Amino acid sequence: ELKVEQNPLFLSMQEGKNYTIYCNYSTTSDRLYWYRQDPGKSLESLFVLLSNGAVKQEGRLMASLDTKARLSTLHITAAVHDLSATYFCAGINNNDMRFGAGTRLTVKP
Amino acid sequence: GAVVSQHPSRVICKSGTSVKIECRSLDFQATTMFWYRQFPKQSLMLMATSNEGSKATYEQGVEKDKFLINHASLTLSTLTVTSAHPEDSSFYICSAVQGSSEAFFGQGTRLTVV
């Protein structure tokens, strides 16, 4: 069974600072996803990473994938308050999709 | 991106009644649909995986007689919570995948059993 571990679980950042969320997974994952969830809402897709070395960027967020290390990272650059949310990574193997525990990000002025 | 519509978004029901939640892929055919349950401030827990035309595969500890899943077509899967009790109150989310593409999520259903 695919296991996904995410850290940190809680992250309090100041505006303008950079930080990285880490996502490790236990077995081969066909794809690696990053999602954002706002309170009371469903998941919003941020990135889908398909292959080793994949890097994708959207605004202040950049995601990367290292399949050899079974590690994906979500890097936040110059955080702003609007980025406050819970971020989940998820892997999928043989149609079995599993989520990390989530990182609750709070960006403070 | 593709759209997955989940309905209803909120439902309150009496203890002992059944509730049906629908998950539709609006602009693609979903080969696989997943049903998740999320407790407050926790991650998503996979309940079951359903493929069109076949029986759903339930995760360990999920009662298949209580959480009935039907994936009758490539665009519709339903989750029925039978004989609901207050402990079934939760946020239920479906997702749909087309082949090897990304997974798209429904809006979620907040179920409250009183």
Side-chain angles (χ1 to χ4, degrees):
Chain A
E1 177 186 308
L2 174 64
K3 294 191 190 307
V4 180
E5 290 187 358
Q6 192 174 334
N7 70 86
L9 300 183
F10 299 93
L11 179 55
S12 181
M13 297 176 63
Q14 276 195 307
E15 279 191 331
K17 298 291 187 183
N18 305 333
Y19 210 84
T20 302
I21 300 171
Y22 297 88
C23 179
N24 291 90
Y25 53 97
S26 61
T27 65
T28 303
S29 180
D30 299 333
R31 300 178 286 287
L32 199 293
Y33 303 88
W34 284 96
Y35 293 94
R36 169 181 172 145
Q37 186 179 36
D38 291 295
K41 300 289 179 63
S42 188
L43 277 70
E44 174 191 346
S45 179
L46 296 175
F47 302 106
V48 182
L49 303 168
L50 300 176
S51 59
N52 187 42
V55 176
K56 291 192 175 180
Q57 182 163 7
E58 182 74 34
R60 300 174 188 276
L61 301 178
M62 183 173 72
S64 66
L65 178 63
D66 180 344
T67 57
K68 293 180 181 176
R70 294 181 183 158
L71 170 69
S72 180
T73 61
L74 180 66
H75 187 72
I76 302 153
T77 303
V80 292
H81 179 69
D82 286 352
L83 291 179
S84 296
T86 300
Y87 292 84
F88 290 98
C89 64
I92 187 165
N93 179 276
N94 289 332
N95 271 346
D96 181 14
M97 189 169 184
R98 303 284 169 165
F99 283 79
T103 298
R104 187 173 303 169
L105 171 65
T106 304
V107 181
K108 299 180 177 179
Chain B
V3 178
V4 174
S5 176
Q6 188 174 340
H7 180 80
S9 57
R10 289 179 182 272
V11 58
I12 301 172
C13 71
K14 288 187 177 179
S15 192
T17 62
S18 296
V19 174
K20 181 186 281 189
I21 302 169
E22 290 189 351
C23 181
R24 293 181 185 271
S25 55
L26 297 186
D27 50 1
F28 67 101
Q29 293 185 323
T31 48
T32 305
M33 286 188 172
F34 301 93
W35 286 96
Y36 296 88
R37 182 173 181 175
Q38 187 179 33
F39 291 104
K41 300 181 182 180
Q42 293 191 22
S43 187
L44 279 71
M45 286 175 26
L46 179 64
M47 298 176 67
T49 302
S50 78
N51 295 294
E52 184 265 341
S54 60
K55 290 184 178 180
T57 302
Y58 288 80
E59 293 299 299
Q60 195 170 11
V62 178
E63 298 176 60
K64 58 182 69 175
D65 294 332
K66 180 164 187 63
F67 298 101
L68 300 178
I69 290 172
N70 185 288
H71 193 160
S73 74
L74 284 170
T75 59
L76 173 64
S77 177
T78 60
L79 167 67
T80 302
V81 183
T82 62
S83 187
H85 288 96
E87 57 264 32
D88 298 325
S89 298
S90 192
F91 192 53
Y92 293 86
I93 307 177
C94 70
S95 75
V97 178
Q98 180 189 31
S100 60
S101 71
E102 70 176 282
F104 297 94
F105 284 80
Q107 302 95 319
T109 298
R110 185 161 302 284
L111 170 64
T112 304
V113 184
V114 297

